[in-house]
Amino acid sequence: MKVLHTSDWHLGQQFYEHNRTLEHDAFLTWLSNALKQHAIDVLLISGDIYHTATPPAHAEQQLYAFIKQAKRHCPNLHIIIIAGNHDSANRIETAKPLLQAFDTHVVGRFNKHSPEDVVLTLHTQHGPLTVVAMPFLRAGDLTLDNQHPDAYQQGVHNAYQSSIACAMDIKQGPLLVMGHLHAKGGDISSDSERNITIGGFDAISATVFTELADYVALGHLHKSQRVAKSEFIRYSGTPMPMSFSERHYQHQVLIAQFDKHTCIAVDPILIPRHQDVCLLPETGGATLDDLCDLIEQLECDIDAPPPYIRLKLNANETDSQFRAKIDDALANKHVLFCGIERVKSSTHNKHDSQLEDLGQVEQLDPVRLLDLAFKEHMDSDECAPASVQQCLCEALAVLSEVSE
């Protein structure tokens, strides 16, 4: 039995105000062909199918068109979709009755009173598979002991324990566990991922998955990686760059192969990049003249999709006409312009840079923004006190509950 593990498609994303529909179309066409080429039995999408809780209509149409195409290529294919922190649980659940007709199983929310609802039994051509399809867990989905310092972590642990116990009662074939969270030790893509729960509770120990799981298919972190040094607890990562920090990273999906009872191998399939992302210069900043020279040296194939370009200009550049000169340099270039960072050398580390572009604010973690504001207004080198960070994180958690 072959299971293809993907996550974090972020359909409907605007990348620096540029529409990514064609990129997603290219990925979904490639994926549909890969499902057939590798004779996949089950496709997993481990959360963040959409970029926002209210995706544009074309993003939803992309998903449904893909499911139709995938089933045409692979009539016996099963698809499992769980909601991530970017998704609306209610919106994900709405299409559930219709998608069931396409062997597509959708789980938007965990009900602490009915943990068995996230347990699925699939019957594939190569035997049965039991799946705990755990969506992103919000505080309101859990029973929390707020007197406990690790209340959220304990709540997540209990949710997985109860669901896996239900799965073991009806287990047929291997046990596969899905989740959308930040597992402790995971490598974060620096400017495209945000903490998704309360303060320091974002990192969840891999022990929550128990030793009973034969494979754990995770979403949220944007780089494919092992968790707790295990071959069988994995993030698949995003199918395309979500930020310029991922410009040199090779995105991939994972194929987990099972015998009758266990996972025997996990193999990556590299995803072809439809459009490149490029920083000029690669490190540090540049003078205006040097930046214009770098733009002039760019060689872009007019017949290929235009690359995304972001520029890094020295903060001490004083030419008031810098934007006009950069626009002139870009005028005949086949690129998608993604703004300018004004960067200056940090007084603490000459290799670090500090962003001064407001366009980057949307990309930053709220706690990181708090630290930057604290240092600026208090004229301090220290981060915001833990008590202040905790107040912010609790407020964000409440807002998340209200928005849902």
Side-chain angles (χ1 to χ4, degrees):
M1 182 193 308
K2 292 183 180 179
V3 175
L4 196 149
H5 171 195
T6 73
S7 72
D8 298 272
W9 291 7
H10 290 274
L11 298 177
Q13 186 205 20
Q14 295 277 332
F15 191 64
Y16 291 88
E17 300 184 358
H18 298 291
N19 189 295
R20 304 193 87 171
T21 300
L22 294 180
E23 274 182 285
H24 279 113
D25 279 342
F27 163 66
L28 294 175
T29 298
W30 172 85
L31 179 60
S32 181
N33 292 329
L35 293 170
K36 183 176 181 179
Q37 177 185 350
H38 295 277
I40 300 300
D41 297 290
V42 181
L43 170 65
L44 309 177
I45 309 170
S46 296
D48 283 356
I49 186 70
Y50 299 120
H51 189 62
T52 68
T54 55
H58 70 79
E60 293 184 284
Q61 290 166 6
Q62 274 186 314
L63 174 62
Y64 302 143
F66 164 76
I67 292 172
K68 181 180 177 181
Q69 182 183 35
K71 287 293 289 181
R72 186 185 302 121
H73 283 182
C74 305
N76 297 308
L77 178 72
H78 287 267
I79 301 173
I80 306 177
I81 302 172
I82 61 171
N85 59 297
H86 280 255
D87 300 312
S88 162
N90 293 334
R91 183 179 291 270
I92 288 288
E93 293 271 358
T94 298
K96 192 171 190 174
L98 178 62
L99 292 179
Q100 284 175 342
F102 291 86
D103 296 316
T104 298
H105 315 272
V106 178
V107 181
R109 177 175 279 112
F110 173 74
N111 183 346
K112 57 190 174 186
H113 302 297
S114 302
E116 67 276 6
D117 290 350
V118 301
V119 179
L120 307 172
T121 300
L122 307 184
H123 296 279
T124 76
Q125 285 187 307
H126 296 94
L129 177 69
T130 302
V131 181
V132 174
M134 185 69 76
F136 170 63
L137 293 168
R138 291 179 168 81
D141 301 327
L142 306 171
T143 299
L144 300 182
D145 177 6
N146 291 321
Q147 302 303 312
H148 196 285
D150 297 325
Y152 178 79
Q153 288 177 323
Q154 189 60 47
V156 171
H157 179 270
N158 293 340
Y160 275 93
Q161 291 284 325
S162 60
S163 299
I164 290 173
C166 291
M168 293 304 295
D169 287 341
I170 62 169
K171 182 175 180 289
Q172 299 181 51
L175 175 62
L176 188 151
V177 175
M178 299 175 69
H180 190 92
L181 47 74
H182 177 187
K184 194 168 291 183
D187 182 19
I188 292 178
S189 178
S190 60
D191 59 353
S192 69
E193 295 161 359
R194 300 180 179 185
N195 289 338
I196 57 177
T197 54
I198 302 174
F201 300 162
D202 59 317
I204 304 298
S205 170
T207 59
V208 304
F209 310 122
T210 80
E211 295 181 356
L212 299 172
D214 295 295
Y215 183 76
V216 180
L218 298 176
H220 176 58
L221 300 189
H222 291 173
K223 294 180 180 178
S224 182
Q225 56 195 283
R226 298 170 180 83
V227 175
K229 299 180 181 180
S230 172
E231 288 292 318
F232 305 116
I233 306 176
R234 298 282 196 120
Y235 284 96
S236 61
T238 57
M240 63 187 67
M242 297 296 293
S243 75
F244 283 89
S245 69
E246 298 170 33
R247 62 193 179 277
H248 298 308
Y249 173 71
Q250 178 63 65
H251 294 263
Q252 57 193 258
V253 296
L254 302 172
I255 294 181
Q257 296 190 53
F258 295 82
D259 64 11
K260 291 183 179 180
H261 301 290
T262 59
C263 184
I264 57 175
V266 182
D267 300 306
I269 309 176
L270 301 184
I271 303 170
R273 182 167 292 183
H274 183 71
Q275 285 176 253
D276 207 358
V277 289
C278 177
L279 273 180
L280 292 181
E282 270 286 321
T283 59
T287 65
L288 180 58
D289 288 341
D290 287 344
L291 200 52
C292 289
D293 287 341
L294 288 172
I295 296 171
E296 182 63 31
Q297 294 168 23
L298 275 177
E299 296 183 2
C300 302
D301 184 353
I302 194 68
D303 295 321
Y308 297 102
I309 300 293
R310 189 160 177 81
L311 308 177
K312 296 163 67 180
L313 181 66
N314 285 343
N316 59 5
E317 181 62 60
T318 59
D319 191 331
S320 61
Q321 300 299 311
F322 77 92
R323 182 54 193 266
K325 292 181 179 179
I326 286 174
D327 286 343
D328 287 343
L330 288 168
N332 297 315
K333 293 295 181 180
H334 183 57
V335 300
L336 295 175
F337 178 54
C338 296
I340 305 167
E341 295 174 14
R342 288 278 234 166
V343 299
K344 62 183 179 183
S345 298
S346 169
T347 57
H348 304 291
N349 188 333
K350 66 181 180 180
H351 299 296
D352 293 338
S353 63
Q354 177 177 328
L355 304 181
E356 292 190 335
D357 178 20
L358 292 179
Q360 286 290 84
V361 171
E362 192 271 342
Q363 303 282 348
L364 294 179
D365 180 298
V367 176
R368 171 65 175 151
L369 285 173
L370 174 66
D371 286 339
L372 290 174
F374 184 85
K375 291 176 181 178
E376 177 72 21
H377 291 286
M378 301 301 292
D379 193 22
S380 169
D381 294 335
E382 301 296 324
C383 294
S387 59
V388 177
Q389 291 187 9
Q390 184 65 20
C391 287
L392 171 65
C393 293
E394 290 176 356
L396 291 171
V398 171
L399 287 173
S400 177
E401 294 293 323
V402 171
S403 66
E404 186 60 28

